[in-house]
Amino acid sequence: LADKLVPYTLLGSALVYLLTRNTSRALSVLMVDFSCALKLAMPLTVLSAMRQAGTSHVTVKGGKYLEVMARADTIVFDKTGTLTKGVFQVTGVYPAPGVDKKVLLGLAAYAESGSHHPISQSLKDAYGQPLKGERVSAIQEIAGHGVQALVDGHPVAVGNAKLMKKIGAALPDERTDGTTVYVAADGKYIGCIVISDVVKPTAKAAMAALKENGVKMTVMLTGDAKAAADRVAAEIGMDRVEGELLPGDKVAQVEKLLAEKGPKENLAFVGDGINDAPVLSRADVGIAMGALGSDAAIEAADVVLMDDDPSKIALAMKISRHTLQIVWQNIVFALAVKAVCLVLGALGIAGMWLAIFADVGVMVLAVLNATRALKIK
């Protein structure tokens, strides 16, 4: 804006001189200038806001993302590690008739022995015995489905209902009291293990704070079974939930939401895993969890929550909106004062001192106003 106005200032000064042949009036018009207050105060406001966000453990990678955050009205969340702690615990073991619980847990733990996923770790913790590497081989992870492996030479499949259907293992009624891991051996269903994730204590308050900040819709995306996903969504107050999603399905869901939003509306995506990196890049603004999030997610994100607290999203939005208010205050104030002084200078009513105030004085006042971005309750 400032760069566009400077040529007009020069043109106006020349025009005043040509019309009046008065050097003092022309210099007064030139002295007023439009650029100083705008060029200095706006970047200072943004930098002050970014510093304020940093003191609250929110890292913003650029000033333009503050504007996008301020106008975000749809927030999409990945569930695990974002709204939940990603700390899974086995809360139920349900073997098929004739199958021992310990055997069921052992087969699941061995099949998952090559994975570092939190669900896999919870199965190994529940088994509670050292795993012997020679007992398991041919481990194969199937994205969005689970794991297949040979345990003591027998094919074992551990995963969701889709995996059981894929290998032809008939299931009883599906459970809805948590994330259910189904286990099959030699192509036959032998039981299931229920694992529950712990919801972050600030998740529910975070959703309420977003609504207070004008967010129209909150969406949760997860690979969990629909019943388990609905339970978590109801607990924390989500507007919409999509379950049983493969990693690629999340991108499709975000694309769908982007197509539905208005031209002046923005969509933010919040995630933490390596599978979230493509979605973080595709959203209008990507927000990553910085403490436990993957390097790929942090790299792809525009905003990073360093303490993994979802309630900081509402704070970031508040800082962004406060910043935009200050920027517009400076713009309107600078343009209004300078416009008046230009007219007065051109008419010969105001002299050089008023022109100096319009340039330097307005700049100082705008800078002082910009420092207000350093403080926000």
Side-chain angles (χ1 to χ4, degrees):
L1 177 60
D3 292 337
K4 293 179 180 179
L5 291 174
V6 170
Y8 292 102
T9 304
L10 296 173
L11 181 62
S13 178
L15 185 62
V16 168
Y17 179 76
L18 291 174
L19 293 175
T20 65
R21 297 295 177 178
N22 189 312
T23 305
S24 178
R25 292 190 190 185
L27 290 177
S28 295
V29 171
L30 185 61
M31 186 62 198
V32 170
D33 191 14
F34 278 89
S35 61
C36 293
L38 297 177
K39 279 193 171 181
L40 184 60
M42 286 192 288
L44 184 59
T45 305
V46 172
L47 289 174
S48 298
M50 292 173 65
R51 182 184 181 280
Q52 172 64 16
T55 61
S56 302
H57 303 100
V58 178
T59 300
V60 183
K61 295 185 179 180
K64 65 180 180 180
Y65 303 118
L66 289 172
E67 182 177 0
V68 181
M69 280 286 294
R71 295 172 179 168
D73 45 25
T74 299
I75 314 290
V76 184
F77 295 85
D78 176 59
K79 182 183 79 70
T80 305
T82 303
L83 297 172
T84 63
K85 292 182 177 180
V87 178
F88 291 87
Q89 297 176 338
V90 173
T91 55
V93 181
Y94 305 96
V99 179
D100 184 80
K101 282 188 177 183
K102 205 66 179 178
V103 171
L104 178 63
L105 275 173
L107 291 174
Y110 271 102
E112 294 276 4
S113 61
S115 174
H116 298 289
H117 191 279
I119 290 180
S120 303
Q121 189 60 49
S122 68
L123 291 172
K124 289 179 273 191
D125 292 341
Y127 182 53
Q129 296 183 20
L131 299 177
K132 300 176 182 179
E134 65 272 12
R135 291 186 59 189
V136 61
S137 62
I139 298 176
Q140 179 186 7
E141 291 195 29
I142 304 173
H145 289 74
V147 176
Q148 288 182 297
L150 292 177
V151 181
D152 296 329
H154 295 275
V156 175
V158 181
N160 56 24
K162 294 178 182 178
L163 180 60
M164 296 297 107
K165 184 178 180 180
K166 182 178 180 180
I167 66 172
L171 289 179
D173 294 336
E174 295 186 31
R175 303 191 65 87
T176 61
D177 50 341
T179 299
T180 305
V181 176
Y182 299 97
V183 184
D186 295 318
K188 182 181 178 182
Y189 170 77
I190 61 171
C192 67
I193 303 167
V194 176
I195 300 171
S196 297
D197 195 0
V198 180
V199 175
K200 289 182 179 180
T202 59
K204 185 174 183 179
M207 297 306 108
L210 289 174
K211 289 296 183 182
E212 291 177 2
N213 278 273
V215 173
K216 297 178 181 177
M217 182 168 62
T218 55
V219 184
M220 185 179 80
L221 306 180
T222 178
D224 291 356
K226 188 177 186 305
D230 289 342
R231 180 177 58 83
V232 174
E235 180 180 347
I236 60 180
M238 303 295 296
D239 295 323
R240 179 172 166 183
V241 58
E242 299 291 341
E244 301 180 359
L245 299 177
L246 299 176
D249 295 335
K250 293 180 182 179
V251 179
Q253 287 292 332
V254 169
E255 291 285 359
K256 180 181 178 181
L257 290 168
L258 286 170
E260 293 174 356
K261 72 182 182 69
K264 294 184 179 181
E265 298 174 342
N266 288 324
L267 180 145
F269 180 83
V270 191
D272 75 316
I274 190 170
N275 291 330
D276 297 328
V279 197
L280 287 165
S281 300
R282 183 63 189 89
D284 293 317
V285 58
I287 305 172
M289 297 295 168
L292 298 176
S294 70
D295 291 341
I298 294 171
E299 181 69 23
D302 308 308
V303 178
V304 182
L305 308 181
M306 301 309 298
D307 55 4
D308 288 359
D309 185 355
S311 66
K312 294 295 176 65
I313 300 172
L315 176 61
M317 293 183 67
K318 190 175 182 181
I319 291 173
S320 299
R321 290 175 179 175
H322 186 61
T323 302
L324 286 187
Q325 288 177 357
I326 294 174
V327 167
W328 279 109
Q329 287 170 4
N330 283 340
I331 291 174
V332 173
F333 174 70
L335 292 180
V337 172
K338 287 173 179 287
V340 171
C341 291
L342 275 176
V343 173
L344 295 178
L347 295 175
I349 299 175
M352 187 62 69
W353 283 109
L354 185 61
I356 292 173
F357 167 77
D359 181 31
V360 181
V362 170
M363 179 192 68
V364 172
L365 292 175
V367 168
L368 291 174
N369 189 41
T371 59
R372 289 173 51 231
L374 289 170
K375 296 181 180 181
I376 182 172
K377 294 182 180 180

